Amino acid sequence: MTDGLVVRPLTGSEELDLFLGLSYTLDHELSDDLASGRRLPEWMWVAVRDGRLLGRIAWWTHTAGAAPYVLDFFDLAPELSAEEAAGVGRRLLAEASAAVVPAGATPPEYSRFLSPDWREDPVERAGVEARLGLLAESGARLLVERLRLEWRPGRPVAEPSGRLRFRPVRDREDLVALMARTLEGTLDAHSRAELAEGLAAREAAERQYDGEFARYSSPRDWWRIAERAGTGDPVGFVVPARNSYNPIIAYIGVLPDHRGRGYVDEILAEGTRILAGTGVDRVRASTDVGNAPMAAAFARAGYAVFQRQIDCVWDAPGASPS
């Protein structure tokens, strides 16, 4: 089913229009990503027959010059039959991955944004399941489904109750120490997977701080530690930030001894208030579908689900699925 099919990377940014022959919600970011170095033409592959685009695949990274960080485009022409789509997708994934991912390395995570009710749409569901099947053939497994959330100006933000006082994060150690403590009993699938692989809580916290938070160009004095009024005991923290695309609640955590007392609502409100005060037109966040307490907190704070997200991983050679 792949006779006459040409599978190749883009020759340069001038071929972006070819890549845009199929559609996905992140299409509008591609031009700027190429200009900034977050994407490279050699990471953007197409499957073409007789000048007709039948499939595409691409990787993204957070910083120019860094290795591919996530596989976030994998699309097949909707007019293909199931058999044809499988043949094109299988070859596209295999040839592009062999060229982009170094031999012996664990492939970057696959991430896909979906409609909030994607399971109720037979066309979207079929496409998702077909891609997941092809990824599974290559050794990937579904790690988690997540909720993508959005707060808009005009939605109420809870006023401080007086139970907590907020202060800026002093330095790396100030935040990392609390991050490590919040990993006890975490419901976050990515964190649980890291801990299951043998990473210590402190190491996992350092990895996230250095690999994510340290990259944000937004002011670090937005970050807040929540302390009990009167005692100064730390209760939790929130990291409001701006990534390359949106203002976000990057991380929110409540220490194990203080969970179940409603503090998360006040901490989330503080983070939202900080970003809202900068005049943003939206604040975005995400949490695992399985993290019901956090999902409920976002709902109470006026954050609406605007998309879902599925993340797949390839286990490192010799590792057992967590």
Side-chain angles (χ1 to χ4, degrees):
M1 290 299 161
T2 61
D3 291 347
L5 188 71
V6 176
V7 174
R8 63 171 178 84
L10 298 187
T11 59
S13 58
E14 67 276 5
E15 281 202 304
L16 181 56
D17 283 347
L18 170 63
F19 196 83
L20 290 171
L22 296 174
S23 63
Y24 176 49
T25 189
L26 295 180
D27 285 345
H28 67 285
E29 297 176 355
L30 290 171
S31 180
D32 187 58
D33 282 349
L34 280 166
S36 67
R38 292 188 293 266
R39 295 188 194 273
L40 300 176
E42 55 264 37
W43 295 353
M44 302 174 67
W45 284 61
V46 292
V48 181
R49 180 189 290 128
D50 298 328
R52 176 177 159 220
L53 182 65
L54 299 183
R56 62 179 186 170
I57 194 168
W59 287 259
W60 172 93
T61 195
H62 43 73
T63 307
Y69 184 75
V70 65
L71 169 61
D72 60 345
F73 275 77
F74 186 24
D75 299 298
L76 300 166
E79 65 270 19
L80 294 175
S81 69
E83 185 179 4
E84 289 173 325
V88 172
R90 191 174 292 117
R91 183 172 161 193
L92 181 59
L93 178 61
E95 294 188 21
S97 297
V100 174
V101 180
T106 302
E109 185 171 298
Y110 169 75
S111 185
R112 181 80 177 189
F113 298 154
L114 308 169
S115 302
D117 57 352
W118 67 271
R119 287 182 176 82
E120 309 308 315
D121 181 333
V123 174
E124 185 172 15
R125 180 168 183 164
V128 171
E129 292 176 347
R131 283 188 295 271
L132 290 179
L134 292 169
L135 292 164
E137 286 181 16
S138 74
R141 62 181 174 87
L142 179 64
L143 176 66
V144 68
E145 182 170 342
R146 293 172 62 78
L147 303 174
R148 283 173 49 79
L149 305 140
E150 186 173 79
W151 177 91
R152 290 279 184 172
R155 295 173 185 168
V157 179
E159 293 297 325
S161 70
R163 295 193 302 167
L164 300 177
R165 295 288 183 267
F166 292 92
R167 64 168 176 83
V169 172
R170 298 189 186 101
D171 53 28
R172 179 181 183 274
E173 176 58 28
D174 194 24
L175 185 57
V176 166
L178 293 180
M179 290 171 64
R181 290 172 63 184
T182 63
L183 288 176
E184 179 184 333
T186 181
L187 296 176
D188 180 83
H190 286 85
S191 296
R192 289 166 66 94
E194 288 185 326
L195 298 176
E197 291 167 5
L199 205 65
R202 170 77 190 202
E203 293 172 321
E206 290 176 335
R207 176 185 290 183
Q208 182 162 19
Y209 184 99
D210 296 332
E212 179 182 350
F213 300 165
R215 295 197 307 267
Y216 293 139
S217 59
S218 51
R220 295 192 184 185
D221 60 12
W222 289 356
W223 305 356
R224 291 289 186 270
I225 304 293
E227 299 174 336
R228 291 181 62 191
T231 69
D233 295 333
V235 168
F237 59 89
V238 63
V239 180
R242 182 183 286 275
N243 62 19
S244 299
Y245 310 98
N246 294 288
I248 60 170
I249 299 294
Y251 198 119
I252 182 168
V254 179
L255 300 181
D257 291 347
H258 296 290
R259 291 171 184 160
R261 303 177 189 178
Y263 289 134
V264 67
D265 294 332
E266 298 181 50
I267 298 172
L268 177 55
E270 177 70 8
T272 305
R273 188 179 299 111
I274 289 169
L275 291 172
T278 68
V280 301
D281 61 359
R282 63 176 176 259
V283 177
R284 288 189 170 173
S286 60
T287 191
D288 292 0
V289 170
N291 192 343
M294 195 68 247
F298 276 115
R300 290 192 298 270
Y303 284 74
V305 177
F306 73 98
Q307 284 178 335
R308 289 198 177 211
Q309 172 182 337
I310 52 173
D311 295 334
C312 295
V313 295
W314 285 261
D315 293 308
S320 298
S322 57

